[in-house]
Amino acid sequence: MNTPPWHSWLGPRRARRLSERFGTPLYVYSAPVLRNRCRALLRAFPGVGLRYAMKANSNPSLLRMVRSMGLGVDTVSPWEVQLALECGFRKADLIYSGNNPSDDDLRAVHRAGVLINLDSLSSLHRYGRMFRGSRVSLRVNLEVGGGHHPHVITSGPDSKFGLAPEDLPEAKSIAARHGMRIVGLHQHIGSGIFDPQLFLDALDPLLAFSEALPDLEVLDAGGGFGVPYRPEESPLDLAGLGSRVTTRFRAMQKGRKKPLQFLLEPGRYVVAEAGALLTQVTTLKRTRDRVFIGVDSGMHHLIRPALYQSYHPVSMVPERDGAALRSFIVGPICESGDVLAEERMIPMPEEGDLAIVGNAGAYGFAMASHYNLRARPAEVLIDNGKVTVIRARENYRDVIRRRDLRAKR
Ligand code: LLP
């Protein structure tokens, strides 16, 4: 395999040392890579408010780092709001884009004083009834969608997200009835998008749509910037996209009396490449057709391969000599879908070797579970050669609470 991109901050020797010091499975993050991605975004989109979609990775230490770089956050649940505020973000730098909110969700977001993107007539109506005279933002579905997998396309006729354009008159009348002002307009078309043209194609109808909203103060074009996972994929031309997007934003600003604040909500772009999952080979098995490299992590820690057939690059430590064999890196979970990597050509490792699963910083730990009653991994951060535990390894009591054990039937 060619030198993997994480080699500069997670080479074989460091991986071995980390595994001995902190155990495996372990999420390892690079502070310089994360800062670097924030800088790239700030450079590409000058004058645009960046709201990191914290659903991608909500580790508090990473959140504080994102804040220190000058980004705000996009939140989708009351606890995300609470955590962001606890990590020092100002409420003005938060936006809320949750879907199908309960009345409790609406109340919590309102109480926190965070601008909310509402994407159904029902939620608009309920919000208006509870909070007469409030300011709201509308999430629209203007039919342009995209993404790396059907599950992550969030716009288009089959999507549960966003208000259809034909609902706008009704939305306006609900707002008027409750004395609400529609100050924001939002869309998010999907995740893992590489084609800059798709963002621009989505932007045009959004800009056109905004003309119908005289009180508009905030225009939020969502996130979705792709990062390369496969060796043959090349990175998105962020600077090129940035200049085209900001040109359109500026042109739009010119024709308006009120100043407009433009927002973007990248999640994956900020953290994906800043994280790797370090796991140890526990069990080797050869069948007639396959080599199974059994490791101590799996779909419960990184569900993307199982859920979206996502490809994550892998490097083995040490890199062994010998013929490369068609191998499957699989975990300890009792499902055949518990695969981290499929059909990789890898020389036969030995039990005790390590596998580094790259680009695992986004939607890795964030989607981890306790399935099969296993702990989620610990998380460490490398900054300036110093390694800090930013989430302690869970123990049995963290997962099985005494009060649940004692609960009477
Ligand atoms: N804004 C909204 C309203 C979103 O729903 C999302 C992601 C984002 C921003 C950030 O998108 P990003 O820049 O990260 O692509 N679990 C999937 C990704 C699901 C994304 C859901 N929404 C995965 O692992 O690929």
Side-chain angles (χ1 to χ4, degrees), residues 51-56 74-76 95-98 117 139 148-149 151-154 161 186-193 199 220-226 229 264-271 302-304 307-308 310 312 362-364 367:
R51 302 288 179 262
Y52 164 62
M54 65 182 278
K55 64 172 78 63
D74 167 47
T75 58
V76 292
I95 183 106
Y96 188 89
S97 314
N117 290 311
R139 175 173 183 170
H148 68 79
H149 186 275
H151 289 356
V152 302
I153 299 172
T154 51
F161 298 98
H186 170 259
Q187 81 170 354
H188 169 73
I189 61 171
S191 189
I193 299 169
F199 286 107
D220 182 347
F225 306 143
Y229 286 80
L264 288 169
E265 304 168 346
R268 184 189 312 273
Y269 192 86
V270 175
V271 281
L302 181 65
I303 202 173
R304 304 190 69 257
L307 193 57
Y308 317 117
S310 296
H312 280 262
Y363 306 108
M367 297 177 81

Side-chain angles (χ1 to χ4, degrees), residues 79-107:
W79 285 2
E80 282 197 356
V81 172
Q82 186 175 345
L83 178 58
L85 294 174
E86 275 179 12
C87 288
F89 288 93
R90 297 176 314 157
K91 64 183 177 194
D93 296 332
L94 263 58
I95 183 106
Y96 188 89
S97 314
N99 179 241
N100 289 330
S102 66
D103 287 354
D104 283 346
D105 291 343
L106 297 176
R107 274 191 280 269

Side-chain angles (χ1 to χ4, degrees), residues 54 112 173 226 302 343 391:
M54 65 182 278
S173 96
L302 181 65
E343 309 219 27
R391 190 180 321 256

Side-chain angles (χ1 to χ4, degrees), residues 297-319:
S297 185
M299 67 187 291
H300 51 322
H301 299 154
L302 181 65
I303 202 173
R304 304 190 69 257
L307 193 57
Y308 317 117
Q309 291 74 53
S310 296
Y311 177 102
H312 280 262
V314 173
S315 63
M316 301 299 295
V317 179
E319 273 191 56

Side-chain angles (χ1 to χ4, degrees), residues 240-270:
L241 175 65
S243 85
R244 292 161 78 186
V245 166
T246 46
T247 304
R248 280 177 211 217
F249 281 167
R250 270 197 294 270
M252 189 181 167
Q253 179 66 78
K254 271 205 188 114
R256 301 187 71 93
K257 286 193 210 80
K258 269 193 180 175
L260 260 186
Q261 185 187 23
F262 295 102
L263 302 181
L264 288 169
E265 304 168 346
R268 184 189 312 273
Y269 192 86
V270 175

